[in-house]
Amino acid sequence: MDENHAKPIALSLFSGAGGMDLGVTEAGFEILASIEKDPHCCETLRFAAELGNLNTKVIEADIKNIDPLQLMSELDVQVGKLDLLFGGPPCQPFSQIGKQKGLDDERGLLLFQMTRFAEVFQPRVIFIEQVKGLLSARDRNGEKGAILQLLLTELEELGYVPKWKVVNAVNYGVPQLRERVFIVATKEFNGFRFPEPTHIPKIQPSLLNNLKPYVTVGEVIMGLGQPELKNGGDYQRKDSHVDPTPAGDRFRINGVPEGSYLAAQAGCLPKEQIKGLTKKDTTKFLRASRIKPSKTLRGGEIFFHPTENRYLTPREYMRIHGFPDSYLLKGPIRGRSGRVRNLDQYRQVANSVPPPVAKILAQEIYHRLLCQKSSNFSAIP
């Protein structure tokens, strides 16, 4: 750890709305800078710093245009003194619900910005989040899994020992079934282990564990009260508990049972309500269940409230994702449809790493760094 800092120091790439940053901060790290391209996410990050949720310098820029050597000088960090380099590069090229263009999509190349920065900074630990589709993503030759292998090879060539695991957020107290690949690459020590789950589907009688049952949607969204109705582009609430549901979607979700989806009601609801949906459309017009965790939150298809004919609000999304109520989003609240250049609040949440997951993994990294520091001191004659 750098002797000029009381805490281990970190650099955040592809910071988004700050979910991973928040977890890393709560684990005990000092984030020197957060790099993000999206202007609305940057506004969210800056406001989080103002409110004390984060303590970081926000760099609004395309990461491809940043010179790591110059940044290292600006941050006054020497080679090998950065404790943690972390980030979750854009995942659309590898997403199982996307077109899976892999390295044919230029965003796929952003994954390797992690190794570009690592080669210069030589951090003690590298921490990467990606969608599960990375495991099967093909390279330009069509070889399945080759992109992940290329990344691991590059990390090894830089002197790191990479480990990876598919982590489901629901196993760490997040009320959401969300599987993501996490990669932790260590240089000065190789004792990192992915933490064991803290939550299971239901309590299993045992004297050997104290695991908790999965947290449910109903548990986390209670107490918010009725949201403010969005009137065009205007709303007053700052906590994002705002309902933008259009009248047409209120009509279509009406009559869909809790925990089910509209297409499953074919034959029970009018054809003009089902329209062109098929039974494969399991995430469209999906109503959440109060007694279960949510499916993976998505920005393009907003899930509906368990009992009310409306979307879940961005604040309810944030609770399901593990953000504290003190964390406030900036940027517009949009409806479910339409392509957007910059991220609205739903997409900011859905694209982020759940803070509790980032925290528990970063705590293990922090612990291992402290153990390494202690062993180095003990080795000094």
Side-chain angles (χ1 to χ4, degrees), residues 1 16 32 66 99 131 158 215 226 248 260 276 324 346 360 367 372:
M1 301 182 192
L32 301 182
I66 294 180
K99 296 181 179 180
V131 292
L158 291 175
V215 180
Q226 285 299 115
S260 188
Y346 285 107
I360 196 167
H367 173 71
Q372 177 65 23

Side-chain angles (χ1 to χ4, degrees), residues 44-321:
T44 293
L45 291 168
R46 293 190 189 99
F47 196 54
E50 288 181 22
L51 295 177
N53 294 112
L54 298 176
N55 181 19
T56 184
K57 172 184 179 181
V58 179
I59 301 175
E60 184 175 343
D62 186 331
I63 199 165
K64 298 192 299 294
N65 298 329
I66 294 180
D67 180 356
L69 272 173
Q70 181 179 345
L71 179 62
M72 192 162 60
S73 175
E74 292 174 358
L75 297 177
D76 194 23
V77 177
Q78 297 179 348
V79 175
K81 294 298 183 179
L82 184 71
D83 293 296
L84 179 64
L85 175 71
F86 71 95
C91 63
Q92 289 89 340
F94 313 126
S95 175
Q96 293 175 325
I97 61 171
K99 296 181 179 180
Q100 294 184 310
K101 293 183 178 180
L103 291 180
D104 287 331
D105 186 332
E106 66 173 7
R107 291 171 300 177
L109 298 174
L110 294 177
L111 176 63
F112 295 91
Q113 291 292 323
M114 300 298 301
T115 52
R116 182 170 78 93
F117 274 72
E119 185 175 10
V120 174
F121 277 86
Q122 293 293 312
R124 293 184 170 95
V125 184
I126 303 168
F127 181 25
I128 303 172
E129 180 260 3
Q130 267 296 304
V131 292
K132 191 178 176 181
L134 177 63
L135 302 181
S136 56
R138 303 174 188 271
D139 64 5
R140 291 188 176 96
N141 296 322
E143 185 177 349
K144 189 175 182 179
I147 296 177
L148 173 60
Q149 188 55 54
L150 177 59
L151 175 65
L152 298 178
T153 298
E154 287 196 7
L155 290 170
E156 289 170 351
E157 289 175 348
L158 291 175
Y160 292 91
V161 178
K163 296 181 179 180
W164 64 267
K165 184 177 181 180
V166 176
V167 172
N168 196 332
V170 75
N171 290 326
Y172 296 103
V174 178
Q176 182 184 166
L177 299 167
R178 183 185 182 91
E179 289 187 315
R180 291 294 184 266
V181 176
F182 286 90
I183 301 166
V184 176
T186 58
K187 194 167 189 177
E188 295 182 1
F189 62 93
N190 59 9
F192 176 83
R193 293 181 181 179
F194 285 93
E196 293 296 322
T198 57
H199 292 68
I200 54 177
K202 60 182 179 180
I203 296 177
Q204 299 173 355
S206 174
L207 297 176
L208 301 178
N209 69 59
N210 57 353
L211 299 181
K212 302 175 182 178
Y214 285 168
V215 180
T216 66
V217 168
E219 290 178 74
V220 296
I221 67 171
M222 64 173 56
L224 281 171
Q226 285 299 115
E228 177 186 350
L229 288 175
K230 182 182 176 186
N231 182 18
D234 298 327
Y235 51 90
Q236 299 299 315
R237 292 189 67 145
K238 303 302 182 184
D239 65 353
S240 299
H241 190 42
V242 176
D243 172 15
T245 317
D249 285 358
R250 293 185 193 278
F251 163 73
R252 295 192 70 188
I253 197 63
N254 186 46
V256 175
E258 182 172 350
S260 188
Y261 53 96
L262 179 56
Q265 312 312 310
C268 301
L269 295 176
K271 291 182 179 180
E272 59 266 26
Q273 196 170 341
I274 304 294
K275 292 186 176 180
L277 295 178
T278 70
K279 288 191 176 181
K280 293 182 179 180
D281 293 317
T282 59
T283 60
K284 294 180 179 179
F285 293 93
L286 170 66
R287 192 186 285 282
S289 170
R290 288 169 293 177
I291 62 173
K292 297 179 181 179
S294 169
K295 289 191 175 182
T296 303
L297 295 182
R298 300 169 65 179
E301 297 170 355
I302 304 168
F303 298 154
F304 286 78
H305 189 274
T307 60
E308 300 173 17
N309 291 336
R310 64 170 177 83
Y311 300 151
L312 291 164
T313 67
R315 171 53 60 189
E316 288 167 332
Y317 254 43
M318 293 178 76
R319 283 196 171 185
I320 292 171
H321 217 63

